[in-house]
PDB file of all heavy atoms in Angstrom:
ATOM      1  N   GLY B  27      37.765  81.624  11.366  1.00  0.00           N
ATOM      2  CA  GLY B  27      39.050  81.868  12.010  1.00  0.00           C
ATOM      3  C   GLY B  27      39.825  80.595  12.261  1.00  0.00           C
ATOM      4  O   GLY B  27      39.936  79.743  11.372  1.00  0.00           O
ATOM      5  N   VAL B  28      40.299  80.403  13.498  1.00  0.00           N
ATOM      6  CA  VAL B  28      41.166  79.258  13.786  1.00  0.00           C
ATOM      7  C   VAL B  28      40.391  77.975  14.074  1.00  0.00           C
ATOM      8  O   VAL B  28      40.975  76.926  14.253  1.00  0.00           O
ATOM      9  CB  VAL B  28      42.082  79.564  15.000  1.00  0.00           C
ATOM     10  CG1 VAL B  28      43.140  80.587  14.621  1.00  0.00           C
ATOM     11  CG2 VAL B  28      41.253  80.001  16.204  1.00  0.00           C
ATOM     12  N   LYS B  29      39.062  78.093  14.141  1.00  0.00           N
ATOM     13  CA  LYS B  29      38.285  76.875  14.429  1.00  0.00           C
ATOM     14  C   LYS B  29      38.375  75.855  13.296  1.00  0.00           C
ATOM     15  O   LYS B  29      38.185  74.673  13.512  1.00  0.00           O
ATOM     16  CB  LYS B  29      36.818  77.240  14.658  1.00  0.00           C
ATOM     17  CG  LYS B  29      36.570  77.825  16.038  1.00  0.00           C
ATOM     18  CD  LYS B  29      35.111  78.144  16.188  1.00  0.00           C
ATOM     19  CE  LYS B  29      34.834  78.843  17.491  1.00  0.00           C
ATOM     20  NZ  LYS B  29      33.533  79.535  17.414  1.00  0.00           N
ATOM     21  N   VAL B  30      38.608  76.349  12.103  1.00  0.00           N
ATOM     22  CA  VAL B  30      38.809  75.437  10.966  1.00  0.00           C
ATOM     23  C   VAL B  30      40.247  75.640  10.523  1.00  0.00           C
ATOM     24  O   VAL B  30      40.655  76.744  10.190  1.00  0.00           O
ATOM     25  CB  VAL B  30      37.836  75.774   9.821  1.00  0.00           C
ATOM     26  CG1 VAL B  30      38.022  74.793   8.682  1.00  0.00           C
ATOM     27  CG2 VAL B  30      36.402  75.732  10.320  1.00  0.00           C
ATOM     28  N   HIS B  31      41.014  74.550  10.568  1.00  0.00           N
ATOM     29  CA  HIS B  31      42.462  74.723  10.406  1.00  0.00           C
ATOM     30  C   HIS B  31      43.083  73.638   9.524  1.00  0.00           C
ATOM     31  O   HIS B  31      42.393  72.742   9.036  1.00  0.00           O
ATOM     32  CB  HIS B  31      43.131  74.731  11.793  1.00  0.00           C
ATOM     33  CG  HIS B  31      42.772  73.532  12.617  1.00  0.00           C
ATOM     34  ND1 HIS B  31      43.496  72.392  12.599  1.00  0.00           N
ATOM     35  CD2 HIS B  31      41.724  73.324  13.465  1.00  0.00           C
ATOM     36  CE1 HIS B  31      42.935  71.512  13.411  1.00  0.00           C
ATOM     37  NE2 HIS B  31      41.856  72.047  13.943  1.00  0.00           N
ATOM     38  N   SER B  32      44.399  73.737   9.392  1.00  0.00           N
ATOM     39  CA  SER B  32      45.262  72.798   8.650  1.00  0.00           C
ATOM     40  C   SER B  32      44.719  72.377   7.291  1.00  0.00           C
ATOM     41  O   SER B  32      44.453  71.207   7.067  1.00  0.00           O
ATOM     42  CB  SER B  32      45.550  71.518   9.449  1.00  0.00           C
ATOM     43  OG  SER B  32      45.331  71.684  10.794  1.00  0.00           O
ATOM     44  N   PRO B  33      44.529  73.313   6.355  1.00  0.00           N
ATOM     45  CA  PRO B  33      44.108  72.873   5.014  1.00  0.00           C
ATOM     46  C   PRO B  33      45.211  72.072   4.321  1.00  0.00           C
ATOM     47  O   PRO B  33      46.378  72.442   4.377  1.00  0.00           O
ATOM     48  CB  PRO B  33      43.832  74.197   4.278  1.00  0.00           C
ATOM     49  CG  PRO B  33      44.549  75.235   5.050  1.00  0.00           C
ATOM     50  CD  PRO B  33      44.659  74.771   6.459  1.00  0.00           C
ATOM     51  N   GLU B  34      44.807  70.961   3.750  1.00  0.00           N
ATOM     52  CA  GLU B  34      45.726  70.116   2.972  1.00  0.00           C
ATOM     53  C   GLU B  34      45.028  69.763   1.674  1.00  0.00           C
ATOM     54  O   GLU B  34      43.819  69.940   1.556  1.00  0.00           O
ATOM     55  CB  GLU B  34      46.020  68.792   3.701  1.00  0.00           C
ATOM     56  CG  GLU B  34      46.733  68.914   5.018  1.00  0.00           C
ATOM     57  CD  GLU B  34      46.755  67.579   5.749  1.00  0.00           C
ATOM     58  OE1 GLU B  34      46.343  66.563   5.141  1.00  0.00           O
ATOM     59  OE2 GLU B  34      47.166  67.570   6.910  1.00  0.00           O
ATOM     60  N   GLU B  35      45.826  69.237   0.733  1.00  0.00           N
ATOM     61  CA  GLU B  35      45.195  68.755  -0.493  1.00  0.00           C
ATOM     62  C   GLU B  35      45.691  67.368  -0.851  1.00  0.00           C
ATOM     63  O   GLU B  35      46.321  67.173  -1.890  1.00  0.00           O
ATOM     64  CB  GLU B  35      45.439  69.731  -1.657  1.00  0.00           C
ATOM     65  CG  GLU B  35      44.488  70.897  -1.623  1.00  0.00           C
ATOM     66  CD  GLU B  35      44.551  71.747  -2.887  1.00  0.00           C
ATOM     67  OE1 GLU B  35      44.661  71.174  -3.985  1.00  0.00           O
ATOM     68  OE2 GLU B  35      44.488  72.983  -2.739  1.00  0.00           O
ATOM     69  N   PRO B  36      45.426  66.348  -0.021  1.00  0.00           N
ATOM     70  CA  PRO B  36      45.855  64.998  -0.403  1.00  0.00           C
ATOM     71  C   PRO B  36      45.053  64.508  -1.601  1.00  0.00           C
ATOM     72  O   PRO B  36      43.829  64.690  -1.651  1.00  0.00           O
ATOM     73  CB  PRO B  36      45.572  64.165   0.845  1.00  0.00           C
ATOM     74  CG  PRO B  36      44.552  64.933   1.600  1.00  0.00           C
ATOM     75  CD  PRO B  36      44.688  66.362   1.230  1.00  0.00           C
ATOM     76  N   PHE B  37      45.734  63.915  -2.565  1.00  0.00           N
ATOM     77  CA  PHE B  37      45.108  63.410  -3.801  1.00  0.00           C
ATOM     78  C   PHE B  37      44.255  64.484  -4.478  1.00  0.00           C
ATOM     79  O   PHE B  37      43.210  64.204  -5.048  1.00  0.00           O
ATOM     80  CB  PHE B  37      44.265  62.160  -3.514  1.00  0.00           C
ATOM     81  CG  PHE B  37      45.039  61.068  -2.848  1.00  0.00           C
ATOM     82  CD1 PHE B  37      44.956  60.868  -1.477  1.00  0.00           C
ATOM     83  CD2 PHE B  37      45.875  60.258  -3.602  1.00  0.00           C
ATOM     84  CE1 PHE B  37      45.688  59.868  -0.869  1.00  0.00           C
ATOM     85  CE2 PHE B  37      46.612  59.246  -2.994  1.00  0.00           C
ATOM     86  CZ  PHE B  37      46.512  59.057  -1.623  1.00  0.00           C
ATOM     87  N   GLY B  38      44.706  65.739  -4.367  1.00  0.00           N
ATOM     88  CA  GLY B  38      44.044  66.824  -5.076  1.00  0.00           C
ATOM     89  C   GLY B  38      42.689  67.218  -4.534  1.00  0.00           C
ATOM     90  O   GLY B  38      41.908  67.852  -5.224  1.00  0.00           O
ATOM     91  N   MET B  39      42.389  66.859  -3.283  1.00  0.00           N
ATOM     92  CA  MET B  39      41.093  67.219  -2.724  1.00  0.00           C
ATOM     93  C   MET B  39      41.298  67.980  -1.421  1.00  0.00           C
ATOM     94  O   MET B  39      41.985  67.499  -0.520  1.00  0.00           O
ATOM     95  CB  MET B  39      40.284  65.950  -2.462  1.00  0.00           C
ATOM     96  CG  MET B  39      38.904  66.218  -1.902  1.00  0.00           C
ATOM     97  SD  MET B  39      37.937  64.706  -1.975  1.00  0.00           S
ATOM     98  CE  MET B  39      36.627  65.120  -0.876  1.00  0.00           C
ATOM     99  N   LEU B  40      40.709  69.158  -1.351  1.00  0.00           N
ATOM    100  CA  LEU B  40      40.888  70.009  -0.177  1.00  0.00           C
ATOM    101  C   LEU B  40      40.347  69.330   1.083  1.00  0.00           C
ATOM    102  O   LEU B  40      39.222  68.852   1.099  1.00  0.00           O
ATOM    103  CB  LEU B  40      40.158  71.342  -0.388  1.00  0.00           C
ATOM    104  CG  LEU B  40      40.226  72.327   0.778  1.00  0.00           C
ATOM    105  CD1 LEU B  40      41.656  72.789   1.027  1.00  0.00           C
ATOM    106  CD2 LEU B  40      39.322  73.518   0.537  1.00  0.00           C
ATOM    107  N   THR B  41      41.184  69.295   2.122  1.00  0.00           N
ATOM    108  CA  THR B  41      40.801  68.679   3.382  1.00  0.00           C
ATOM    109  C   THR B  41      40.990  69.689   4.510  1.00  0.00           C
ATOM    110  O   THR B  41      42.031  70.324   4.600  1.00  0.00           O
ATOM    111  CB  THR B  41      41.663  67.435   3.645  1.00  0.00           C
ATOM    112  OG1 THR B  41      41.526  66.556   2.552  1.00  0.00           O
ATOM    113  CG2 THR B  41      41.229  66.739   4.918  1.00  0.00           C
ATOM    114  N   LEU B  42      39.980  69.829   5.353  1.00  0.00           N
ATOM    115  CA  LEU B  42      40.043  70.772   6.468  1.00  0.00           C
ATOM    116  C   LEU B  42      39.689  70.065   7.758  1.00  0.00           C
ATOM    117  O   LEU B  42      38.876  69.129   7.764  1.00  0.00           O
ATOM    118  CB  LEU B  42      39.046  71.918   6.238  1.00  0.00           C
ATOM    119  CG  LEU B  42      39.330  72.829   5.053  1.00  0.00           C
ATOM    120  CD1 LEU B  42      38.058  73.492   4.604  1.00  0.00           C
ATOM    121  CD2 LEU B  42      40.376  73.861   5.408  1.00  0.00           C
ATOM    122  N   TYR B  43      40.320  70.519   8.847  1.00  0.00           N
ATOM    123  CA  TYR B  43      40.020  69.938  10.157  1.00  0.00           C
ATOM    124  C   TYR B  43      39.223  70.940  10.971  1.00  0.00           C
ATOM    125  O   TYR B  43      39.483  72.134  10.914  1.00  0.00           O
ATOM    126  CB  TYR B  43      41.321  69.594  10.882  1.00  0.00           C
ATOM    127  CG  TYR B  43      42.055  68.458  10.228  1.00  0.00           C
ATOM    128  CD1 TYR B  43      42.860  68.674   9.111  1.00  0.00           C
ATOM    129  CD2 TYR B  43      41.927  67.152  10.711  1.00  0.00           C
ATOM    130  CE1 TYR B  43      43.526  67.637   8.495  1.00  0.00           C
ATOM    131  CE2 TYR B  43      42.592  66.103  10.105  1.00  0.00           C
ATOM    132  CZ  TYR B  43      43.388  66.354   8.993  1.00  0.00           C
ATOM    133  OH  TYR B  43      44.036  65.325   8.386  1.00  0.00           O
ATOM    134  N   THR B  44      38.272  70.427  11.741  1.00  0.00           N
ATOM    135  CA  THR B  44      37.530  71.311  12.625  1.00  0.00           C
ATOM    136  C   THR B  44      37.141  70.525  13.885  1.00  0.00           C
ATOM    137  O   THR B  44      37.593  69.391  14.077  1.00  0.00           O
ATOM    138  CB  THR B  44      36.297  71.894  11.907  1.00  0.00           C
ATOM    139  OG1 THR B  44      35.654  72.816  12.770  1.00  0.00           O
ATOM    140  CG2 THR B  44      35.322  70.823  11.505  1.00  0.00           C
ATOM    141  N   ASP B  45      36.346  71.143  14.755  1.00  0.00           N
ATOM    142  CA  ASP B  45      35.941  70.430  15.975  1.00  0.00           C
ATOM    143  C   ASP B  45      34.437  70.213  15.947  1.00  0.00           C
ATOM    144  O   ASP B  45      33.738  70.706  15.067  1.00  0.00           O
ATOM    145  CB  ASP B  45      36.363  71.217  17.216  1.00  0.00           C
ATOM    146  CG  ASP B  45      35.816  72.624  17.182  1.00  0.00           C
ATOM    147  OD1 ASP B  45      34.580  72.773  17.186  1.00  0.00           O
ATOM    148  OD2 ASP B  45      36.626  73.582  17.117  1.00  0.00           O
ATOM    149  N   LYS B  46      33.960  69.484  16.950  1.00  0.00           N
ATOM    150  CA  LYS B  46      32.565  69.045  16.844  1.00  0.00           C
ATOM    151  C   LYS B  46      31.564  70.171  17.113  1.00  0.00           C
ATOM    152  O   LYS B  46      30.398  70.045  16.758  1.00  0.00           O
ATOM    153  CB  LYS B  46      32.297  67.848  17.763  1.00  0.00           C
ATOM    154  CG  LYS B  46      32.328  68.113  19.249  1.00  0.00           C
ATOM    155  CD  LYS B  46      31.978  66.814  19.961  1.00  0.00           C
ATOM    156  CE  LYS B  46      32.077  66.962  21.454  1.00  0.00           C
ATOM    157  NZ  LYS B  46      31.831  65.687  22.138  1.00  0.00           N
ATOM    158  N   ASP B  47      32.023  71.277  17.685  1.00  0.00           N
ATOM    159  CA  ASP B  47      31.091  72.391  17.877  1.00  0.00           C
ATOM    160  C   ASP B  47      30.961  73.239  16.611  1.00  0.00           C
ATOM    161  O   ASP B  47      29.973  73.951  16.432  1.00  0.00           O
ATOM    162  CB  ASP B  47      31.555  73.272  19.043  1.00  0.00           C
ATOM    163  CG  ASP B  47      31.599  72.482  20.339  1.00  0.00           C
ATOM    164  OD1 ASP B  47      30.692  71.637  20.529  1.00  0.00           O
ATOM    165  OD2 ASP B  47      32.530  72.685  21.129  1.00  0.00           O
TER     166      ASP B  47
END
Side-chain angles (χ1 to χ4, degrees):
Chain B
V28 289
K29 282 180 185 161
V30 182
H31 53 91
S32 340
E34 296 170 8
E35 279 190 40
F37 304 100
M39 181 168 164
L40 178 64
T41 303
L42 294 156
Y43 291 81
T44 184
D45 55 62
K46 69 178 176 184
D47 299 322

